[in-house]
Amino acid sequence: MEILDIVINSVKNISIFSVMDILVVSYIFYKGYMLMKETRAEQLLKGIVLILFLIPVSDLLNLTMLNWILSKTITIGVLSLIIIFQPEIRSALEHLGRTAFTDRQIFANEETVQKVVNEIVTAIGNLSVSRTGALVIIEQFTGLEDIIKTGTRIDAIVSSALLENIFVVNTPLHDGATIIRNDRVVSSGCFLPLTENRELNKKLGTRHRAAIGISEKSDAIIIVVSEETGTISLVLNGNMTRNYTEEKLRSTLTKIIKKRQHKKLTFRERVIQWIKNKKDTR
């Protein structure tokens, strides 16, 4: 009965702010786990949990030497965690740095959006028919300047003819990613980070893994054409959907880009827009 009374009193004393505090902390832990899931950090985290479990067990069993070693390991644990989880910490900060509340416009107007999408889709369709491998990135709010620098600067108006020529086999720029910013092809032959997701289909090649890798680190829209099958794939936020037709690709790109177009909104409207954008990318 005493335990029941304690529980009842505790529940009565919980305020709305306590509930909010619990929900926020739970969300942070959940997002942290999702960032580490299927990466090397997940295995390292399991090792740390095992060490924390063994410390009281070794003390209980009077395993003095083991307990001393484990305790000293935890003592320097904070510094070790920063070093060990450096890639994951960087990834988390990049996620936090992406903002849906930016004042930057991706495209000047809807007419530009439609023109760019049509040119991209036409090129992708032709490359698919000829089974020419391609990797096209449409930059969004996350800047890709560090990736752009790894390729060859072009700075040309987006056109289907230009995109098709870039990916012709054995030409200097075909083996790499082409990045589009607004209505311009800014760079080609760019090198991308590969995903560390071990659950991907083993049949996916380097081009697809690179597309997923950059989508995990940015909000870019990535289009991939398979060299073996001509299959068109769309990659967004680490997720890949395949088997696109030209018409489906055109409508999907238009929908995503238009919803991401910046407008002068109130804070409340921006929060609602951000939530909608997140749903669209799932």
Side-chain angles (χ1 to χ4, degrees):
M1 291 299 293
E2 291 181 3
I3 296 175
L4 182 61
D5 289 337
I6 292 172
V7 172
I8 293 173
N9 290 330
S10 299
V11 172
K12 286 181 178 179
N13 292 328
I14 293 177
S15 66
I16 184 65
F17 296 106
S18 299
V19 174
M20 289 176 61
D21 188 24
I22 293 170
L23 291 175
V24 169
V25 172
S26 300
Y27 179 76
I28 290 172
F29 274 103
Y30 168 74
K31 293 300 290 185
Y33 171 74
M34 292 305 294
L35 284 173
M36 291 187 294
K37 188 179 179 183
E38 308 302 344
T39 67
R40 291 173 297 175
E42 184 180 17
Q43 304 305 318
L44 292 170
L45 187 62
K46 290 177 181 177
I48 292 171
V49 172
L50 179 61
I51 291 174
L52 292 174
F53 173 75
L54 288 176
I55 288 176
V57 172
S58 61
D59 185 46
L60 182 65
L61 299 176
N62 293 320
L63 303 175
T64 308
M65 181 60 73
L66 178 61
N67 184 264
W68 182 83
I69 293 173
L70 294 176
S71 299
K72 292 300 180 182
T73 302
I74 294 300
T75 302
I76 60 172
V78 175
L79 180 60
S80 301
L81 284 175
I82 294 174
I83 296 171
I84 292 170
F85 292 116
Q86 186 271 336
E88 285 70 31
I89 292 172
R90 179 177 176 177
S91 177
L93 292 175
E94 285 174 346
H95 274 275
L96 290 173
R98 296 180 207 165
T99 172
F101 309 125
T102 179
D103 289 330
R104 182 172 71 86
Q105 275 190 314
I106 301 173
F107 291 94
N109 49 54
E110 289 193 10
E111 184 180 346
T112 303
V113 172
Q114 205 58 60
K115 181 179 182 302
V116 170
V117 168
N118 286 336
E119 294 293 335
I120 293 173
V121 170
T122 299
I124 292 297
N126 292 336
L127 292 168
S128 174
V129 171
S130 63
R131 294 193 178 184
T132 303
L135 180 53
V136 177
I137 300 174
I138 306 174
E139 186 186 63
Q140 299 293 283
F141 291 117
T142 303
L144 300 175
E145 192 61 34
D146 55 334
I147 303 296
I148 289 170
K149 289 178 180 177
T150 66
T152 300
R153 293 252 181 195
I154 296 179
D155 194 25
I157 294 291
V158 175
S159 71
S160 57
L162 173 61
L163 291 174
E164 288 178 53
N165 278 317
I166 286 173
F167 292 108
V168 171
V169 179
N170 296 326
T171 55
L173 302 179
H174 88 282
D175 192 15
T178 290
I179 299 178
I180 294 173
R181 174 186 289 164
N182 201 334
D183 62 345
R184 304 189 75 82
V185 177
V186 290
S187 186
S188 290
C190 300
F191 296 99
L192 304 180
L194 298 180
T195 180
E196 296 183 1
N197 189 342
R198 299 177 183 177
E199 298 299 314
L200 292 177
N201 191 323
K202 301 298 182 184
K203 294 182 179 179
L204 291 178
T206 304
R207 186 176 284 112
H208 291 83
R209 292 178 182 276
I212 295 173
I214 190 62
S215 75
E216 291 171 339
K217 299 179 183 299
S218 72
D219 59 352
I221 304 170
I222 303 99
I223 307 162
V224 186
V225 178
S226 171
E227 189 173 350
E228 290 76 21
T229 64
T231 301
I232 301 172
S233 303
L234 188 67
V235 186
L236 209 61
N237 291 345
N239 299 312
M240 175 181 288
T241 48
R242 311 192 70 188
N243 299 313
Y244 277 81
T245 61
E246 285 189 47
E247 203 53 49
K248 182 181 177 183
L249 180 63
R250 180 179 287 104
S251 63
T252 303
L253 287 177
T254 302
K255 180 181 178 182
I256 294 172
I257 293 172
K258 282 186 176 180
K259 284 201 171 184
R260 288 184 172 186
Q261 276 291 82
H262 172 73
K263 297 185 296 181
K264 295 295 181 182
L265 304 173
T266 65
F267 179 79
R268 177 176 175 276
E269 289 172 328
R270 289 186 179 190
V271 171
I272 294 172
Q273 185 67 48
W274 179 79
I275 294 172
K276 287 181 178 178
N277 287 341
K278 285 293 182 182
K279 289 180 179 179
D280 289 339
T281 59
R282 288 177 183 173

